[in-house]
């Protein structure tokens, strides 16, 4: 049973109630709005996993709501269209809708589209996060933390840690690290890697008393999941 919250913006009360019951039966939390203005406010202020958005709404139509949402968020949005209007679909997709479904529709199809949209979003989020134990590097936010405690790194330290995380549990030679982090045209000594590894250890291993970056004598370095 999941706890993901879905915002349903639909002005037809019977349809909205039916969808609410079906979504709750699937384990989703559901919040509803019956007009565009209320829906937009909830969409911008709430913490939702996905939005189901009707195009034809009172006060503000669905396409305008989508346009405003996309200024602030990449939350998955599935558009509902009252009929097979190709132009509405094209406009919705061009403006950033993840999917659309035409009324009347089978609830099984909508549920399948919701699962696909949520899975796609989870994959995108996962790809932007690099983790080992309690250490997390967020590529989107350009941030690093250990057990939710922020760690301040220089750009070079960040790039080195990123490469180590991308290749965790793999022994990396100094030459490989120089090539990946400093570039092919770097003309200095590979000992620069040792210097920056010390910087990282002082900010992570030493600070949190947990050895993550390991030395493989005569070869290079290894970032391990567990000792």
């Amino acid at each position: 049973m999941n706890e993901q919250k879905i915002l349903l913006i639909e002005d037809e009360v019977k349809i909205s109630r039916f969808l609410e019951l079906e979504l709750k039966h699937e384990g989703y939390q559901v919040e509803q709005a019956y007009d565009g203005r209320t829906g937009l406010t909830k969409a911008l202020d709430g913490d939702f996993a996905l939005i189901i958005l009707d195009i034809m709404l009172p006060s503000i139509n669905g396409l305008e709501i989508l346009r405003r949402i996309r200024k602030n968020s990449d939350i998955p949005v599935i558009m509902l269209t009252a009929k097979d209007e190709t132009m509405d679909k094209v406009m919705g997709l061009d403006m950033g809708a993840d999917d659309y479904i035409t009324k009347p529709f089978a609830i099984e199809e909508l549920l399948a589209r919701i699962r696909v949209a949520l899975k796609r979003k989870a994959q995108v989020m996962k790809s932007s996060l690099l983790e080992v134990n309690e250490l997390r590097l967020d590529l989107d936010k350009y941030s690093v933390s250990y057990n939710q405690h922020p760690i301040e790194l220089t750009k070079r330290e960040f790039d080195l840690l990123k490469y180590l995380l991308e290749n965790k549990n793999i022994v990396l030679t100094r030459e490989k690290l120089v090539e990946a982090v400093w570039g092919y045209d770097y003309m200095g000594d590979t000992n620069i890697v040792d210097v920056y590894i010390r910087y990282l250890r002082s900010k992570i291993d030493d600070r949190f008393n947990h050895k993550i970056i390991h030395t493989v004598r005569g070869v290079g370095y290894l970032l391990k999941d567990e000792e």
Side-chain angles (χ1 to χ4, degrees):
M1 197 118 170
N2 65 68
E3 298 181 354
Q4 292 168 302
K5 187 189 295 185
I6 291 177
L7 174 61
L8 174 58
I9 308 176
E10 166 62 68
D11 65 317
E12 295 185 52
V13 176
K14 288 184 178 180
I15 294 177
S16 184
R17 178 59 177 160
F18 168 72
L19 292 178
E20 177 194 22
L21 292 174
E22 292 292 336
L23 291 169
K24 285 185 174 179
H25 180 71
E26 292 297 313
Y28 299 106
Q29 297 181 44
V30 181
E31 191 163 329
Q32 294 163 286
Y34 300 101
D35 66 87
R37 194 171 303 281
T38 302
L40 177 61
T41 299
K42 289 188 175 185
L44 297 179
D45 294 343
D47 181 20
F48 300 99
L50 180 140
I51 296 174
I52 299 173
L53 176 61
D54 190 23
I55 288 183
M56 299 300 293
L57 292 166
S59 70
I60 304 176
N61 70 50
L63 291 174
E64 176 61 17
I65 292 172
L66 176 63
R67 186 187 70 80
R68 298 193 196 183
I69 289 172
R70 282 293 174 259
K71 285 185 175 181
N72 301 280
S73 172
D74 61 354
I75 181 175
V77 176
I78 297 177
M79 305 291 293
L80 302 181
T81 59
K83 53 186 176 179
D84 191 9
E85 289 287 351
T86 302
M87 187 55 66
D88 282 346
K89 294 175 182 177
V90 171
M91 287 180 64
L93 293 171
D94 283 346
M95 293 170 66
D98 293 80
D99 204 349
Y100 63 85
I101 191 166
T102 304
K103 300 177 187 176
F105 52 82
I107 187 62
E108 292 80 8
E109 181 182 1
L110 177 60
L111 292 173
R113 291 172 183 262
I114 289 171
R115 289 193 294 271
V116 169
L118 291 174
K119 183 177 180 180
R120 186 185 302 125
K121 177 63 175 178
Q123 289 172 338
V124 170
M125 290 179 65
K126 184 177 179 181
S127 67
S128 69
L129 291 175
L130 300 172
E131 298 176 286
V132 60
N133 302 328
E134 301 298 323
L135 180 65
R136 169 178 289 193
L137 185 148
D138 190 323
L139 294 171
D140 289 339
K141 297 179 180 178
Y142 205 80
S143 65
V144 178
S145 63
Y146 187 94
N147 197 20
Q148 300 184 346
H149 296 286
I151 300 170
E152 296 295 328
L153 298 181
T154 66
K155 183 181 184 305
R156 191 75 74 185
E157 292 166 352
F158 184 93
D159 292 343
L160 178 57
L161 181 61
K162 172 177 172 288
Y163 192 72
L164 288 166
L165 280 164
E166 289 173 337
N167 296 276
K168 65 182 179 181
N169 300 316
I170 298 173
V171 178
L172 300 168
T173 65
R174 290 172 177 80
E175 290 76 16
K176 186 67 176 177
L177 289 167
V178 166
E179 179 182 301
V181 179
W182 280 264
Y184 293 101
D185 55 352
Y186 176 74
M187 302 300 291
D189 197 293
T190 58
N191 287 340
I192 189 68
V193 173
D194 303 329
V195 173
Y196 276 84
I197 288 292
R198 284 199 299 272
Y199 293 159
L200 288 178
R201 280 175 168 161
S202 68
K203 293 183 177 182
I204 303 171
D205 294 28
D206 297 345
R207 178 182 172 189
F208 299 101
N209 195 30
H210 189 166
K211 190 172 183 180
I212 295 177
I213 303 171
H214 297 258
T215 301
V216 180
R217 292 187 181 279
V219 183
Y221 295 99
L222 164 71
L223 194 149
K224 293 177 67 174
D225 270 317
E226 297 289 347
E227 289 193 56

